[in-house]
Amino acid sequence: MEHVAAATPAWAMLAYLIAGVLFILSLRGLSSPESSQAGNRNGMIGMAIAVGTTLYLHSTGLPLIIAAIAIGGTIGWFIAQRIQMTAMPELVAGFHSLVGMAAVLVGCAAYLNPGAFGILDSVTNEILPVSRVELGLGVAIGAITFSGSVIAFLKLSGRMSGNPIMLPGRHIINLGILAGILGLVGYFVTDQSAWVFWTVTALSFAIGFLLIIPIGGADMPVVISMLNSYSGWAAAAMGFTLGNTAMIITGALVGSSGAILSYIMCKAMNRSFISVIAGGFGDAGGPAAAGSAIQKAYKAGSAEDAAFIMKNAESVIIVPGYGMAVSQAQHALREMGDLLKKEGVSVKYAIHPVAGRMPGHMNVLLAEANVSYDEVFELEDINSDFSQCDVAFVIGANDVTNPAAKTDKTSPIYGMPVLDVEKAKTVLFVKRSMGGVGYAGVDNSVFYMDNTMMLLADAKKMVETIVKNLGH
């Protein structure tokens, strides 16, 4: 690595530094909806500088690199054209897996041909000790990221059950494998035998699967941000191996920001990071966990009823959830809000930090529908407003509005802060049917309250019908 770093021209180091500053400004911009476009722009400029500098420094292999970029770019463009917003969470998980595998492949290449990477000690003809640490950790983190992201992708896409899969003795097995990986990475510093390197790689792939399999669907937003963090640290470790400053900076930024986001998600769910990794959230016993709601008496309503109630209200708080994303109802929802505002109704949107399947899922959908940033509020800013609100319009948000999180100590979501929609004078709850439960597998008592009217239909069709009635 020292050889590679020394061969990097001063202008290239400066270019990488500028790219790093732009990446930091990008993250800063993405912290607020108003500055998000500038943040994205800074990120793209920084990446263009980093990629352009790297291509110039490795001009001897430029044809192969350009061919790889063309293939990858074409695949990415094709996927981006076809992907729906509802599939974004599994897409992110899938892309994380590619980052992890890229780190593993770079590590394997460096181990098999250390001379080409400048990490070979010319005296001992062995890999430099410090580079062995980088290699071991980079490959381990990359492999964990890959296999964990594959499981997250399968769960989020419905190809695998979102319910936790509990293996007997999983904690002991996981701790034993993690201890073995760390021990072997340490041993790799003194012995670079092939069996050590490949055993670390194999165990890391295994622990990635084992860590994510027991995690339930309600914890998936945390898992996504956690895997994002892992992919960053894997890239940073490979940056040291490649002697690439831009990769080190970028990987460290992604890793640290992903870790902070994971912490924020855990705090929003009133859970510790360790409890998420331990798995089992959403593994409730009883009929609710089996995937069907407990049948009780409820009050059903129509789009005409909902339109009349909201048109005559003074304030409406809209609570979007995954059901809105599935039906792509965000544009119709914004139109409904606009019509209500024309009638003099105060309209706000309440966002729970873990609504949907990934951090910021609902914010992105509302932004796509051009909902004003001034009308969108986070849980801690709007929760006290429900008690003074005339109507809480809940569209496909089950777990994040479930009072069981506050009252039922046996519930798997107990302790998670939720939106207090039940305190509104009237709750209009849009749901496809009464036969299903949320991703955590828990029935919601709000469905059966006296002040709740269930609007059972596809979310988009229901909202579109409400819009038609508001326009009359």
Side-chain angles (χ1 to χ4, degrees):
M1 188 192 75
E2 293 174 357
H3 171 72
V4 175
T8 304
W11 69 266
M13 298 294 288
L14 179 60
Y16 285 146
L17 179 60
I18 293 172
V21 171
L22 287 169
F23 292 147
I24 294 172
L25 292 175
S26 175
L27 287 176
R28 179 68 181 86
L30 292 173
S31 64
S32 170
E34 290 85 352
S35 58
S36 59
Q37 289 186 344
N40 272 321
R41 187 163 53 249
N42 288 331
M44 289 187 288
I45 295 172
M47 186 57 68
I49 293 173
V51 171
T53 302
T54 303
L55 290 177
Y56 185 84
L57 292 175
H58 298 82
S59 55
T60 53
L62 201 55
L64 287 176
I65 295 173
I66 291 177
I69 292 175
I71 294 171
T74 301
I75 294 173
W77 180 87
F78 182 73
I79 293 174
Q81 292 295 315
R82 299 187 57 189
I83 202 70
Q84 297 292 326
M85 279 303 300
T86 50
M88 283 300 289
E90 54 259 42
L91 178 68
V92 171
F95 282 171
H96 286 161
S97 72
L98 297 179
V99 176
M101 180 54 74
V104 173
L105 293 176
V106 170
C108 291
Y111 175 73
L112 295 173
N113 189 9
F117 288 80
I119 60 174
L120 190 66
D121 191 320
S122 58
V123 178
T124 63
N125 203 33
E126 292 184 340
I127 299 174
L128 294 166
V130 67
S131 296
R132 298 185 203 179
V133 176
E134 298 159 2
L135 271 180
L137 290 177
V139 168
I141 299 172
I144 292 171
T145 303
F146 171 78
S147 52
S149 297
V150 168
I151 295 298
F153 171 83
L154 294 174
K155 282 177 174 282
L156 289 166
S157 63
R159 293 174 174 84
M160 175 184 288
S161 171
N163 295 327
I165 300 174
M166 302 300 183
L167 301 176
R170 65 187 185 281
H171 298 310
I172 296 175
I173 294 173
N174 291 348
L175 287 173
I177 294 177
L178 285 172
I181 292 172
L182 292 175
L184 285 172
V185 170
Y187 181 68
F188 187 55
V189 176
T190 60
D191 183 358
Q192 65 175 54
S193 298
W195 74 268
V196 181
F197 179 82
W198 297 116
T199 302
V200 168
T201 306
L203 289 176
S204 299
F205 277 124
I207 194 62
F209 286 116
L210 295 174
L211 282 175
I212 307 302
I213 281 177
I215 298 180
D219 273 339
M220 275 301 133
V222 180
V223 171
I224 292 294
S225 61
M226 178 188 71
L227 292 170
N228 179 53
S229 179
Y230 288 177
S231 67
W233 297 124
M238 289 301 104
F240 281 104
T241 299
L242 295 171
N244 189 299
T245 307
M247 278 190 69
I248 297 171
I249 295 173
T250 306
L253 288 173
V254 173
S256 56
S257 61
I260 293 171
L261 183 57
S262 298
Y263 170 77
I264 293 173
M265 293 291 106
C266 288
K267 188 176 180 181
M269 300 166 70
N270 195 31
R271 290 168 56 73
S272 68
F273 183 74
I274 298 300
S275 66
V276 173
I277 296 301
F281 193 44
D283 183 36
S292 60
I294 301 171
Q295 293 302 311
K296 303 175 186 175
Y298 63 92
K299 181 166 59 179
S302 65
E304 291 80 4
D305 297 327
F308 177 81
I309 292 171
M310 287 192 287
K311 196 171 185 178
N312 290 278
E314 291 185 3
S315 60
V316 174
I317 297 179
I318 299 171
V319 181
Y322 189 66
M324 182 191 77
V326 170
S327 64
Q328 290 287 283
Q330 62 269 24
H331 296 280
L333 194 67
R334 192 262 306 156
E335 188 177 356
M336 184 187 83
D338 290 344
L339 289 174
L340 287 173
K341 285 185 287 184
K342 288 181 180 179
E343 296 291 335
V345 181
S346 170
V347 177
K348 297 179 181 178
Y349 296 80
I351 306 294
H352 192 284
V354 294
R357 295 292 187 269
M358 63 181 288
H361 200 176
M362 296 301 105
N363 302 74
V364 171
L365 289 173
L366 293 179
E368 181 190 21
N370 294 319
V371 172
S372 174
Y373 300 139
D374 297 334
E375 298 173 3
V376 180
F377 298 87
E378 301 295 333
L379 178 145
E380 63 271 14
D381 298 322
I382 200 171
N383 226 11
S384 60
D385 292 1
F386 282 105
S387 57
Q388 288 85 42
C389 172
D390 291 319
V391 179
F393 186 86
V394 185
I395 177 166
N398 186 4
D399 299 330
V400 298
T401 62
N402 197 330
K406 298 176 286 186
T407 59
D408 186 1
K409 293 184 178 180
T410 64
S411 173
I413 62 172
Y414 179 73
M416 181 178 82
V418 293
L419 292 161
D420 298 331
V421 297
E422 75 278 4
K423 294 182 179 179
K425 293 178 183 177
T426 301
V427 180
L428 301 176
F429 211 116
V430 181
K431 197 172 184 292
R432 185 176 290 275
S433 71
M434 296 298 293
V437 291
Y439 207 36
V442 185
D443 197 21
N444 192 338
S445 61
V446 173
F447 301 159
Y448 316 108
M449 292 183 174
D450 293 336
N451 63 330
T452 298
M453 179 181 290
M454 298 301 299
L455 306 174
L456 302 179
D458 173 80
K460 184 177 181 180
K461 292 180 179 178
M462 173 58 70
V463 177
E464 287 176 341
T465 308
I466 291 175
V467 167
K468 290 179 182 178
N469 282 274
L470 287 173
H472 289 165

